[in-house]
Amino acid sequence: MAGSYDLIIIGSGTAAMVASNRASAAGRKVAVTDFRPFGGTCALRGCDPKKMLVTGAQVMDDIRRMRTRGVVAPEARMSWPELMAFKRTFTAPIPEKQARNYAGKGIDAFHGQARFVGRNAVAIAGEGVCEARHILIAAGARPAPLPFPGAEHLVTNEEFLELEELPPRIILVGGGYIAAEFSHIAARAGASVAILQRGERLLTQFDPELVGWLMESFHEAGIDVRTRRAVVRVEKAGHGYTVLTRSETGAEEAMEADLVVHAAGRIPDLEPLQLDAAGVARDERGHLRLNAFLQSPSNPAVYAAGDAARTGPPLTPVSSHDAKVAVRNMIEGNQYRPDYRGVPSVAFTIPPIASVGLSEAEARQRNLRFRLRSQRVSGWYTARRVAEPTYGFKVLVDEDTDRVLGAHLVGPHVDEVINIFGLAIRHGLTAEDLKTTMFAYPTGASDIGYML
């Protein structure tokens, strides 16, 4: 027997860190287990290291846009090994730092794959069996299985972020955040990049009109975007790969690459947990069945948070929020429900695209009365100052209450500006509240009044 606890947490990412700290501070005996280095996807294999690579790509694009506008940098180039070394200055210390945090708070931390062996019991490989009053599943996500032959040749997004050298020819399979962001990084680093997307467009989570404006930046970067294109199979060919694709009309085409990247989505990483042993039910898609309190109805001892819960958007702030809600419900009884109002989403392309609240389509489906302002504003100072032609917005405001319903932005600084719209949505601020706010000028935020 490895031990008995008030709470066992499976995973060590954002949700696990928040939950363990909160439960420990409340006097609960807590254990955390992860078969991978402590820190989780966001800090080690996702958003944080990715954003560090985006920074290098952004600098290269800044130089390109400003080259005939006063910036002289004829030898500017991106050194992939040096950029990766810079990234590791952030990621490398995290597991040890996390372990020290656990030890300092009296939290037992185990390394090993966890699996349920009873309704309140978890076996940890190499450690034994732990029992607990509550168990929090915060195991994160993994790449979704791909249906075509040769899928084993693809590298995951996590493996891409560990590449020592960047291959010259890269194909990304998929059309979401990973494909969009990684394509911009790789193209600015000098690779020839293609995206294969089965659907009709990229970034379906964002407003289609703004995505259309953003696509110009893909073309400017030399990214070959092929939509309505399915992968038939991937074959090893010498030192590279041949990717056979099929269009909607049935026409097939072979493409050559040195690296093929899985960018076709991620799913909760639940299979190794053997949920049946704990009586934890899943729905027809294989996701956890949870009630409004992030609890398993079929086993009330079990809660979930973040990507494993999949009740809110798959974003790091949601993981943290879920963890706070779940721990409060464990300690105080089920009283708290997650509140995902005003959670912004950003794809860190160059320039970025951002969204919060309702889309135009969702507002119309709900038969809401709203006014809509939408405009491409390449001539505004915010865009002209950085010589960025892609800049635009779409904002929805409720006609009856004057409250902001949704905001959709693309262009320079929108990854920061979207947070102000998120604040307005979450706390019920009106368009007039924002218009009468005096933002620092000239900044991206100072454009908000003109968007309303």
Side-chain angles (χ1 to χ4, degrees):
M1 177 76 67
S4 181
Y5 298 90
D6 295 305
L7 172 63
I8 296 172
I9 302 171
I10 301 174
S12 67
T14 301
M17 180 178 66
V18 171
S20 61
N21 287 343
R22 295 240 166 173
S24 177
R28 278 19 182 210
K29 187 179 180 183
V30 181
V32 172
T33 183
D34 199 335
F35 70 98
R36 306 181 76 168
F38 295 142
T41 297
C42 183
L44 297 179
R45 304 176 292 274
C47 33
D48 288 341
K50 170 203 68 186
K51 189 73 180 290
M52 297 181 81
L53 301 188
V54 169
T55 300
Q58 179 69 66
V59 170
M60 295 304 299
D61 198 60
D62 290 342
I63 292 172
R64 176 191 65 81
R65 285 180 282 103
M66 296 300 295
R67 184 164 273 144
T68 60
R69 298 171 172 87
V71 173
V72 180
E75 301 300 323
R77 64 180 182 84
M78 187 188 297
S79 169
W80 187 264
E82 291 181 11
L83 188 62
M84 294 298 284
F86 173 56
K87 181 210 75 169
R88 292 190 183 103
T89 64
F90 174 81
T91 57
I94 287 175
E96 184 179 347
K97 181 180 178 181
Q98 196 92 314
R100 288 198 304 268
N101 173 70
Y102 292 140
K105 291 183 164 73
I107 298 166
D108 289 345
F110 300 108
H111 276 297
Q113 177 65 65
R115 60 183 177 85
F116 284 95
V117 292
R119 293 180 68 82
N120 293 79
V122 173
I124 302 172
E127 300 288 350
V129 175
C130 295
E131 293 184 345
R133 180 180 178 187
H134 291 117
I135 299 166
L136 178 68
I137 300 175
R142 62 181 175 86
L146 296 174
F148 51 79
E152 68 275 9
H153 296 308
L154 277 66
V155 302
T156 66
N157 60 299
E158 297 176 5
E159 292 169 318
F160 178 91
L161 292 173
E162 292 295 334
L163 290 174
E164 295 294 341
E165 297 285 347
L166 190 69
R169 300 172 301 169
I170 299 174
I171 292 176
L172 296 117
V173 179
Y177 291 84
I178 295 170
E181 294 170 339
F182 285 13
S183 66
H184 277 253
I185 294 169
R188 278 14 179 257
S192 172
V193 183
I195 296 175
L196 301 175
Q197 160 69 327
R198 180 187 291 270
E200 63 178 303
R201 66 180 179 94
L202 302 189
L203 295 170
T204 56
Q205 306 91 332
F206 295 89
D207 182 87
E209 186 174 14
L210 273 65
V211 172
W213 298 340
L214 178 64
M215 293 312 300
E216 294 177 16
S217 72
F218 283 77
H219 302 320
E220 183 69 32
I223 300 167
D224 181 8
V225 178
R226 305 192 184 192
T227 56
R228 299 186 176 91
R229 190 67 62 95
V231 175
V232 178
R233 65 177 179 273
V234 178
E235 299 174 345
K236 190 81 175 74
H239 295 294
Y241 302 92
T242 298
V243 181
L244 185 65
T245 72
R246 180 180 294 128
S247 70
E248 284 186 336
T249 63
E252 293 191 350
E253 179 184 2
M255 302 175 65
E256 304 299 323
D258 302 296
L259 183 75
V260 188
V261 182
H262 184 321
R266 292 166 65 83
I267 60 174
D269 191 13
L270 302 176
E271 295 308 320
L273 303 185
Q274 299 186 18
L275 298 170
D276 289 347
V280 176
R282 295 199 274 180
D283 63 22
E284 59 280 357
R285 298 172 298 171
H287 300 159
L288 293 173
R289 288 191 185 276
L290 301 175
N291 61 22
F293 308 103
L294 300 177
Q295 180 188 44
S296 167
S298 59
N299 182 349
V302 175
Y303 288 76
D307 289 343
R310 209 178 177 95
T311 56
L315 304 169
T316 298
V318 168
S319 297
S320 175
H321 177 71
D322 283 354
K324 295 171 186 175
V325 170
V327 168
R328 291 187 75 180
N329 285 332
M330 293 177 203
I331 293 173
E332 302 176 32
N334 286 347
Q335 303 178 47
Y336 306 98
R337 302 166 186 250
D339 177 2
Y340 303 124
R341 289 175 301 152
V343 180
S345 180
V346 179
F348 291 100
T349 48
I350 302 173
I353 186 169
S355 175
V356 67
L358 296 179
S359 68
E360 180 182 358
E362 288 169 335
R364 296 195 187 285
Q365 288 168 3
R366 298 185 186 187
N367 294 317
L368 297 177
R369 294 179 66 249
F370 64 93
R371 61 181 182 271
L372 174 70
R373 284 212 66 196
S374 180
Q375 188 177 358
R376 183 165 183 176
V377 287
S378 303
W380 284 10
Y381 178 78
T382 298
R384 292 183 63 190
R385 181 181 65 81
V386 294
E388 174 56 73
T390 301
Y391 188 34
F393 66 90
K394 180 176 287 188
V395 178
L396 293 73
V397 176
D398 189 280
E399 285 280 21
D400 299 321
T401 66
D402 196 43
R403 290 183 176 180
V404 178
L405 296 174
H408 310 275
L409 315 175
V410 63
H413 313 302
V414 303
D415 51 330
E416 298 290 349
V417 174
I418 198 67
N419 291 310
I420 296 173
F421 284 105
L423 180 75
I425 291 172
R426 189 166 186 86
H427 296 285
L429 302 181
T430 66
E432 188 64 19
D433 289 331
L434 294 183
K435 285 193 286 187
T436 55
T437 298
M438 289 181 281
F439 295 105
Y441 179 88
T443 63
S446 61
D447 288 345
I448 289 176
Y450 302 104
M451 296 178 179
L452 294 163

